[in-house]
Amino acid sequence: MSEPLRPAPLRLGIAGLGTVGTGVLKILRKEAAMLSARTGREITVSAVSARNRGKDRGISLDSYAWEDDPVALATRDDVDVFVELMGGSDGPAKAATEAALKAGKDVVTANKAMLAIHGQALAELAEDAGRVIRFEAAVAGGIPVVKSLTEGLAGNRIQRVIGVMNGTCNYILTRMQSAGLPYDIVFQEAADLGYLEADPQLDVGGIDAGHKLALLASVAFGTRVSFDAMELEGIGRITIDDIRAAEDMGYRIKLLGVSQMTGRGLEQRMAPCLVPATSPLGQLEGGTNMVVLEGDAVGQIVLRGAGAGEGPTASAVLGDLCDIARGFRLPVFGQPAASLEDAVPATSTTPAPYYVRLTLQDKPGALAKIATVLGEAGVSIHRMRQYDHTGGRAPVLIVTHKTQRKLLDEALVAMTGTGVVEGDPVALRIETV
Amino acid sequence: MSEPLRPAPLRLGIAGLGTVGTGVLKILRKEAAMLSARTGREITVSAVSARNRGKDRGISLDSYAWEDDPVALATRDDVDVFVELMGGSDGPAKAATEAALKAGKDVVTANKAMLAIHGQALAELAEDAGRVIRFEAAVAGGIPVVKSLTEGLAGNRIQRVIGVMNGTCNYILTRMQSAGLPYDIVFQEAADLGYLEADPQLDVGGIDAGHKLALLASVAFGTRVSFDAMELEGIGRITIDDIRAAEDMGYRIKLLGVSQMTGRGLEQRMAPCLVPATSPLGQLEGGTNMVVLEGDAVGQIVLRGAGAGEGPTASAVLGDLCDIARGFRLPVFGQPAASLEDAVPATSTTPAPYYVRLTLQDKPGALAKIATVLGEAGVSIHRMRQYDHTGGRAPVLIVTHKTQRKLLDEALVAMTGTGVVEGDPVALRIETV
């Protein structure tokens, strides 16, 4: 019997040699034999591209061809898979991805912004060309959550996806809580540690995490990515008072993404929420990510791991590359782009309990006025705490029973009209997982 | 342009129509359109087989051919995939699986015992025939852990796999702890609730969980399944005193599987261990499973979900079926069976802290004798508590610093030789995750 023909190597072109790109190169070099044993095929690198050719990355690039232009890299004859690790929703990343697909290359990317905004168009382009785009590294770092949704749980109707998916925000919130420091100080610490994106709003504004959630919603619900329809609120308005008050009531504040298919349409929100302090989400510290998947057959699956960094993100890129080397091919968002439905944004939000913090003036009957206003709006109070007056002002915490956000918003407007409330009340959703 | 040819349906033969088999049939019927949209191919059932044709399963079997003999089912011309949900390491399950592979059928199974014992031979048979065996449902119910290891983390050298993978044992241990009931009572409760296998030793003896760990070790480390080499200890010797004492020291007792590749060989052990009460493993209640995967690039990934039951197990079977429908094919244990290495059992166990509980006679200098014996064996004490004497006997709890199990065992033998210890001391490993 003759030996079976060994398939030709899978040849990569890698654009972007920052932390992740360098990490991918290191694994490809160190573990070539292991990867080949696992996939039945060699994975080689033909060419690379980056902004700065001369930068010391701790590894030699001598054995790879160099391209200054990522589009030229993406379309080289000796490249089978274009590995896009440059980032940015448009510009060179998008141009090179499109060029790669048109030239018949598969694409592996860590670029959540590009896919959250142009995902549908790119998926259609890929499928027209008979190519795949894989993006495990774009969501929750090393956690195989895209794979779990599109493959492992393919027999389920997914009901809800919940996640803490921005390590920087989680670092800031847990550090505020553990060190008792105000937001501005911890924000500056995070900046000094290099944890923040060049545009910090991508992190603290919830945009980066929102991009990730938009991608998960698409694969979970079979809908076109619709980042524009997401309710988005950052952590910039969270004060140390809120952190302490939440702790006092048995909660932690997390930048939480929730996407849920309801009879009223698709809910997608990325916003600070309270979760029980003792719950797995409440216990999540620092840069770790957690994603909770709920399916009709499987029930609740919880996945936890590092959400960023060289190793975890490179691990996700390698997972996608191994799948391609093995010949696994599936549509970009798990089912053909043409069959993805338009996501109708939910007309209202699923009712939930809310946390409300306000400052009351020291006037007789002030608390009664607040309680009355809530009652009249149809919002019932589960727990209420009034603290000592300091300088004629008393902090008040309220946890409501489940209510419509709309009713609560009406109550908040009415509250400020009572003349007994200082400034604007803060209201945060309490998510029970 | 003409429409692309739609591939022929993937035709199943399902043997075993208990909870899981019935659950699989229900999903296939209810979600045919969804599955076809996701995989690009219809998944149909040609024929079924079970011990009792007449049993009321809440669904009609009229549209499927019936076979009394699973081997006949497995080799039918109109079957592409044999779905083996009968169980049992040998007998009909193995005969039908072998027959299916030889007849050129792929196999999806939930049968951990069969694969833990005959996995290597079956993998070789499958690969010779160019067929696959998929077994996500055999390990940790609905958690996509085999997929995560073989695919998502394919770029990693896996360093350690840890898991709580028998829901019945976890139910018994958490119920003992929360209700303060002795083992025998809770064991009987579990039996009355139908939680125990026909042979309860499969559960409480750690065998079922050991089978699962053996399969994970193979895919994690690229070694031949070697269930025989596993250190196996059940929960039958855990007393309510141990549960309480562990709690008192800040720990919970779990039936914990640990597999680790070391310089001294492959460690595989399934045994009751102490874990910190506040850790994710410590917090795990009832029938939920948790698997911790540690890779050199990805760091630590934690997966949690229901470990058994109709929905979760059917979800795992469906995931495997969708992969096959999509044309994903990989060797049974993630790399070709011929390339799997013989697992050399570790010559010694990785050092760890241990918990020791013993009963001391009320004699002067008794505690000093114990401390001396430990010191002479080279085991140093991290914490020690002696409780009130009751009837001339005092319970003593010791938490050691990290030590070799061998040294501790020598100390335990020496302890019983001191004449101040009643009965046998209990020693349990403390696993820090």
Side-chain angles (χ1 to χ4, degrees):
Chain A
M1 220 171 77
S2 66
E3 280 292 301
L5 263 180
R6 194 154 176 89
L10 186 74
R11 301 163 305 169
L12 314 182
I14 302 180
L17 295 176
T19 313
V20 178
T22 310
V24 169
L25 276 180
K26 282 185 201 161
I27 296 177
L28 287 169
R29 289 151 80 122
K30 187 164 73 83
E31 302 294 1
M34 176 186 86
L35 295 168
S36 159
R38 290 183 178 171
T39 65
R41 194 168 172 190
E42 266 186 276
I43 304 178
T44 62
V45 178
S46 298
V48 296
S49 171
R51 264 192 299 238
N52 180 349
R53 184 171 186 174
K55 181 179 161 192
D56 179 13
R57 297 176 172 87
I59 50 170
S60 158
L61 304 178
D62 291 350
S63 50
Y64 319 123
W66 177 270
E67 295 280 359
D68 285 319
D69 176 8
V71 170
L73 177 86
T75 53
R76 285 174 65 100
D77 285 343
D78 59 0
V79 164
D80 303 309
V81 182
F82 175 58
V83 184
E84 190 284 294
L85 302 172
M86 296 179 285
S89 61
D90 292 82
K94 178 160 170 271
T97 298
E98 288 169 345
L101 295 170
K102 285 178 188 159
K105 322 295 190 186
D106 292 322
V107 174
V108 172
T109 179
N111 193 329
K112 61 223 75 163
M114 177 176 77
L115 290 178
I117 295 167
H118 305 292
Q120 182 67 24
L122 289 171
E124 288 171 8
L125 183 58
E127 291 169 31
D128 284 347
R131 296 292 106 191
V132 300
I133 304 175
R134 303 288 304 235
F135 58 92
E136 189 65 86
V139 184
I143 304 175
V145 57
V146 175
K147 179 171 277 285
S148 293
L149 276 172
T150 52
E151 302 173 27
L153 306 186
N156 287 260
R157 288 202 181 260
I158 301 297
Q159 294 158 327
R160 194 163 67 146
V161 175
I162 302 177
V164 169
M165 297 186 285
N166 183 282
T168 303
C169 288
N170 205 46
Y171 167 82
I172 291 175
L173 292 171
T174 52
R175 172 91 177 131
M176 284 172 74
Q177 191 241 327
S178 61
L181 292 169
Y183 177 81
D184 292 341
I185 301 281
V186 177
F187 176 89
Q188 192 54 50
E189 273 186 12
D192 294 343
L193 287 164
Y195 288 1
L196 285 162
E197 302 268 353
D199 173 5
Q201 270 308 306
L202 286 176
D203 284 316
V204 298
I207 299 168
D208 165 86
H211 287 153
K212 296 170 187 170
L213 184 64
L215 297 178
L216 289 188
S218 172
V219 294
F221 304 115
T223 48
R224 291 165 171 241
V225 198
S226 55
F227 173 67
D228 288 347
M230 186 168 302
E231 260 185 70
L232 207 58
E233 189 186 327
I235 61 168
R237 291 175 56 216
I238 302 297
T239 65
I240 181 69
D241 291 340
D242 289 314
I243 303 259
R244 283 184 182 139
E247 183 78 16
D248 205 31
M249 308 283 264
Y251 296 102
R252 297 266 163 81
I253 300 179
K254 299 286 169 192
L255 178 64
L256 202 69
V258 180
S259 185
Q260 187 166 7
M261 187 56 85
T262 74
R264 305 173 312 283
L266 179 65
E267 283 186 37
Q268 296 184 91
R269 50 178 186 276
M270 179 60 68
C273 292
L274 274 66
V275 294
T278 54
S279 67
L281 281 164
Q283 294 283 308
L284 200 68
E285 308 252 308
T288 312
N289 281 197
M290 182 176 282
V291 186
V292 179
L293 309 175
E294 294 175 353
D296 61 349
V298 79
Q300 189 182 76
I301 296 280
V302 180
L303 311 173
R304 200 189 76 183
E310 175 181 321
T313 314
S315 168
V317 170
L318 262 294
D320 282 343
L321 289 172
C322 287
D323 275 359
I324 292 176
R326 282 166 163 160
F328 295 5
R329 307 188 73 77
L330 84 173
V332 180
F333 293 104
Q335 63 186 66
S339 75
L340 295 166
E341 288 178 25
D342 262 324
V344 180
T347 47
S348 64
T349 305
T350 301
Y354 283 83
Y355 151 100
V356 178
R357 182 174 63 83
L358 51 92
T359 304
L360 213 56
Q361 291 173 3
D362 188 8
K363 294 181 183 170
L367 196 59
K369 282 188 184 163
I370 299 304
T372 304
V373 155
L374 283 166
E376 282 171 357
V379 176
S380 74
I381 297 172
H382 175 51
R383 289 196 283 158
M384 183 185 247
R385 285 189 192 174
Q386 181 183 327
Y387 293 79
D388 275 354
H389 287 71
T390 322
R393 305 153 78 226
V396 172
L397 305 183
I398 299 166
V399 171
T400 73
H401 280 290
K402 268 192 190 177
T403 183
Q404 297 276 0
R405 174 80 209 204
K406 202 170 135 276
L407 298 182
L408 182 68
D409 284 340
E410 287 166 17
L412 294 179
V413 169
M415 260 182 218
T416 46
T418 57
V420 299
V421 174
E422 293 257 330
D424 287 331
V426 173
L428 297 171
R429 188 180 169 92
I430 300 176
E431 203 71 53
T432 45
V433 180
Chain B
M1 221 171 78
S2 66
E3 279 291 301
L5 264 180
R6 195 153 175 90
L10 186 74
R11 301 163 304 169
L12 315 182
I14 301 179
L17 295 176
T19 313
V20 178
T22 309
V24 169
L25 276 181
K26 282 186 202 161
I27 296 178
L28 287 169
R29 289 152 80 123
K30 186 164 74 85
E31 302 294 0
M34 176 187 86
L35 295 169
S36 160
R38 289 183 179 171
T39 65
R41 195 169 171 189
E42 267 186 275
I43 305 179
T44 61
V45 178
S46 299
V48 297
S49 170
R51 263 191 301 237
N52 180 349
R53 184 171 186 174
K55 182 180 160 191
D56 180 14
R57 297 176 174 86
I59 50 171
S60 157
L61 303 178
D62 291 350
S63 51
Y64 318 122
W66 177 269
E67 295 280 0
D68 284 319
D69 176 7
V71 171
L73 176 86
T75 53
R76 284 173 67 101
D77 285 343
D78 59 1
V79 164
D80 303 308
V81 182
F82 175 58
V83 183
E84 189 284 295
L85 302 172
M86 296 179 285
S89 61
D90 292 82
K94 179 161 171 271
T97 298
E98 288 169 344
L101 296 170
K102 285 179 189 157
K105 321 295 190 188
D106 292 323
V107 173
V108 171
T109 179
N111 192 329
K112 59 224 76 163
M114 176 177 76
L115 289 178
I117 295 167
H118 305 292
Q120 181 66 24
L122 289 172
E124 288 171 9
L125 182 58
E127 290 169 31
D128 283 347
R131 294 293 106 191
V132 300
I133 304 174
R134 303 286 306 233
F135 59 92
E136 189 66 85
V139 184
I143 305 174
V145 57
V146 174
K147 178 171 277 286
S148 292
L149 275 172
T150 51
E151 302 173 28
L153 307 186
N156 288 260
R157 287 201 182 262
I158 301 297
Q159 295 158 329
R160 194 162 69 146
V161 175
I162 302 177
V164 169
M165 297 186 285
N166 183 282
T168 303
C169 288
N170 205 46
Y171 168 81
I172 291 176
L173 292 171
T174 52
R175 171 90 178 134
M176 284 173 74
Q177 192 241 325
S178 61
L181 291 170
Y183 177 82
D184 291 341
I185 301 282
V186 177
F187 176 89
Q188 192 53 50
E189 274 185 12
D192 294 343
L193 287 164
Y195 288 1
L196 286 161
E197 302 266 354
D199 173 4
Q201 270 307 305
L202 286 175
D203 285 314
V204 297
I207 299 168
D208 166 84
H211 287 153
K212 297 171 186 169
L213 183 65
L215 297 177
L216 288 188
S218 172
V219 294
F221 304 114
T223 47
R224 292 165 171 240
V225 198
S226 55
F227 174 67
D228 287 348
M230 185 166 305
E231 261 184 70
L232 207 59
E233 189 185 326
I235 61 167
R237 290 175 56 217
I238 302 297
T239 65
I240 182 69
D241 292 339
D242 289 313
I243 303 260
R244 285 184 180 139
E247 183 79 14
D248 206 30
M249 307 285 264
Y251 297 103
R252 297 265 164 83
I253 301 179
K254 298 286 169 191
L255 177 65
L256 202 69
V258 180
S259 184
Q260 186 167 7
M261 186 56 86
T262 73
R264 305 173 313 282
L266 179 65
E267 284 185 35
Q268 296 184 91
R269 50 177 188 277
M270 179 60 68
C273 290
L274 274 65
V275 295
T278 55
S279 68
L281 281 164
Q283 294 283 308
L284 199 68
E285 309 251 307
T288 313
N289 281 197
M290 181 175 281
V291 186
V292 179
L293 308 175
E294 294 176 353
D296 60 350
V298 80
Q300 189 182 77
I301 297 280
V302 179
L303 312 172
R304 200 189 75 182
E310 174 181 322
T313 314
S315 168
V317 170
L318 262 295
D320 281 343
L321 289 172
C322 287
D323 276 359
I324 291 175
R326 282 167 163 159
F328 295 5
R329 307 188 73 78
L330 83 174
V332 181
F333 293 104
Q335 64 185 66
S339 74
L340 295 167
E341 289 178 24
D342 262 325
V344 180
T347 48
S348 63
T349 305
T350 301
Y354 283 84
Y355 151 100
V356 178
R357 182 173 62 84
L358 52 90
T359 304
L360 213 58
Q361 291 174 2
D362 187 9
K363 293 181 182 172
L367 196 59
K369 281 188 184 163
I370 299 304
T372 304
V373 156
L374 283 166
E376 283 172 357
V379 177
S380 73
I381 297 172
H382 175 50
R383 290 195 283 159
M384 184 185 245
R385 287 189 192 175
Q386 181 182 327
Y387 293 80
D388 275 353
H389 287 71
T390 322
R393 303 153 79 226
V396 172
L397 305 184
I398 299 167
V399 172
T400 74
H401 281 288
K402 267 193 190 176
T403 184
Q404 298 276 0
R405 174 80 211 205
K406 201 170 136 277
L407 298 183
L408 182 68
D409 284 341
E410 287 166 17
L412 294 178
V413 170
M415 260 181 216
T416 46
T418 57
V420 299
V421 174
E422 292 255 332
D424 287 330
V426 173
L428 297 171
R429 187 180 171 94
I430 300 175
E431 204 71 51
T432 46
V433 180

